[in-house]
Amino acid sequence: MSVSSASGVELIGLVKAYGRTVAVDHISLKIPPGSYCCLLGPSGCGKTSTLRMIAGHEDISDGDLIIGSRQVNDVPPARRGTAMMFQNYALFPHLDCTDNVAFSLKMKGVARPERRAKAQELLTLVQMDRYADRLPAQLSGGQQQRVALARALITNPSVLLLDEPLSALDPFLRDRMRVELKRLQTELGITFIHVTHSQTEAMALADLVVVMNEGRIEQAGAPQDIFNRPATAFVARFIGGHNVLTRASGGPMAIRADRIRLDDAPPAAAGDGLSLVGTVQALEYHGASVHLRLDAAEAEDFGVVLSEAAFAARPLAVGATVRASWAAEDLHPLVS
């Protein structure tokens, strides 16, 4: 399949306001061409409004949007070189898969044989060619998603925009479709910008993770950097797997939950910042690991992740009092 060359996307002081409510607050970001970028954050953080401004489905209140080498603030969606895959897929119920995929080419006046041949090519790419004659109602959720993806790709976009594309799928299928999305992005070589509230999804897919909160970018970077070096307390908590501690002598610190040791030795000297005493409030078995929650005076909702072997060697029960300790080099300072 031939596709357009990938385009980079740059946001420069981008703002989206709905009356007095600011949904996106002066964000700046460079998304390299050919990358897989995930906009990650809780509901209401501004990630979908950002995606819709890139698509041209929302007006920009202030700032500039660059796609490739063009400023596209006022360029219609069809002329931006982008395509959008919507969360609900929005397939036409009366059209079969082939005609659903070919619909945009029909609107452009492409002859029926040519547009159907192109649609067949895209259906093959997403492994849906054998279902070409089926209606959307005859497809599973995952199959409908593949058709919607083929329809978005048929215009040869240089940037593909995905609005929570996996949220409607069951966990097993979601995992499979993550693999498919990454395969397609790698094979096509175009820029993917994917909105999600799932930390796991963003970490598994993205080259660039952009964590948003209250209309602003808290941190942007490679998944490994975001996880290992969260910049703020919000990022540390939202990404998960971290505890946020406040030291009397300085600002907040993060410690990964899988870097904690548990024992029943007496607590370390007060104020050393390298241990705390707490009561086990909850236990969850996750197969290869066991996740615990401690109730401690020094930290709210303190999490610990132990390997299955470590837990089996020293099993604990809810209500047990334990000392949690960690190495000084595993503490990571936070901005706020």
Side-chain angles (χ1 to χ4, degrees):
M1 172 193 168
S2 62
V3 296
S4 302
S5 59
S7 291
V9 176
E10 184 174 3
L11 318 179
I12 305 172
L14 209 63
V15 176
K16 179 60 188 178
Y18 301 95
R20 295 185 177 181
T21 301
V22 178
V24 178
D25 190 2
H26 295 89
I27 65 172
S28 296
L29 176 70
K30 286 186 177 181
I31 302 172
S35 61
Y36 200 125
C37 172
C38 280
L39 304 180
L40 172 66
S43 297
C45 72
K47 58 188 185 295
T48 297
S49 293
T50 300
L51 192 77
R52 290 179 61 83
M53 282 191 285
I54 297 170
H57 299 151
E58 292 282 359
D59 293 333
I60 295 171
S61 302
D62 197 8
D64 289 313
L65 172 63
I66 311 295
I67 298 179
S69 59
R70 293 192 303 157
Q71 192 245 49
V72 297
N73 290 32
D74 300 315
V75 175
R79 294 175 51 203
R80 295 189 175 202
T82 63
M84 190 159 181
M85 180 177 164
F86 295 95
Q87 186 175 356
N88 64 1
Y89 311 146
L91 299 176
F92 298 110
H94 61 290
L95 298 181
D96 65 20
C97 292
T98 302
D99 285 336
N100 258 291
V101 174
F103 185 78
S104 63
L105 297 186
K106 180 180 180 181
M107 294 297 98
K108 292 181 178 181
V110 176
R112 188 172 189 272
E114 181 182 349
R115 68 177 184 258
R116 287 181 65 84
K118 183 70 172 177
Q120 287 289 334
E121 185 181 349
L122 267 299
L123 287 170
T124 300
L125 179 71
V126 298
Q127 301 174 357
M128 283 294 293
D129 45 309
R130 60 178 172 163
Y131 303 104
D133 297 331
R134 293 195 183 182
L135 297 173
Q138 298 171 310
L139 304 174
S140 69
Q143 290 169 339
Q144 288 182 33
Q145 186 197 54
R146 290 170 186 262
V147 175
L149 186 57
R151 186 178 62 181
L153 291 170
I154 201 167
T155 57
N156 288 347
S158 59
V159 180
L160 180 65
L161 309 171
L162 304 103
D163 183 13
E164 302 210 33
L166 307 181
S167 61
L169 305 179
D170 63 67
F172 175 75
L173 189 54
R174 196 178 305 140
D175 290 349
R176 290 184 58 190
M177 288 308 302
R178 281 207 311 258
V179 174
E180 284 300 301
L181 283 175
K182 190 62 178 178
R183 175 186 70 82
L184 283 167
Q185 192 271 332
T186 302
E187 183 175 331
L188 295 171
I190 64 177
T191 306
F192 276 35
I193 304 177
H194 175 138
V195 160
T196 181
H197 60 268
S198 167
Q199 299 89 336
T200 300
E201 201 170 293
M203 291 292 173
L205 285 168
D207 309 310
L208 174 63
V209 175
V210 181
V211 184
M212 298 186 66
N213 179 35
E214 296 184 345
R216 297 183 179 181
I217 294 174
E218 290 267 338
Q219 188 174 358
Q224 298 90 337
D225 292 336
I226 297 289
F227 185 78
N228 288 309
R229 291 177 289 278
T232 67
F234 174 84
V235 174
R237 291 189 176 106
F238 186 79
I239 289 296
H242 293 79
N243 297 296
V244 176
L245 305 169
T246 301
R247 305 182 74 179
S249 59
M253 310 284 284
I255 177 70
R256 278 173 46 170
D258 60 350
R259 300 290 171 87
I260 308 294
R261 299 183 303 275
L262 294 182
D263 58 52
D264 51 11
D272 74 345
L274 299 177
S275 68
L276 57 79
V277 174
T279 303
V280 177
Q281 294 294 300
L283 287 167
E284 288 186 346
Y285 177 66
H286 285 227
S289 61
V290 178
H291 295 210
L292 301 89
R293 289 288 169 186
L294 305 185
D295 180 24
E298 298 95 326
E300 181 182 353
D301 196 26
F302 189 87
V304 180
V305 176
L306 300 177
S307 69
E308 183 184 27
F311 185 81
R314 188 181 183 278
L316 294 166
V318 171
T321 299
V322 294
R323 174 187 155 200
S325 58
W326 51 89
E329 58 267 26
D330 288 333
L331 279 172
H332 172 71
L334 302 170
V335 174
S336 61

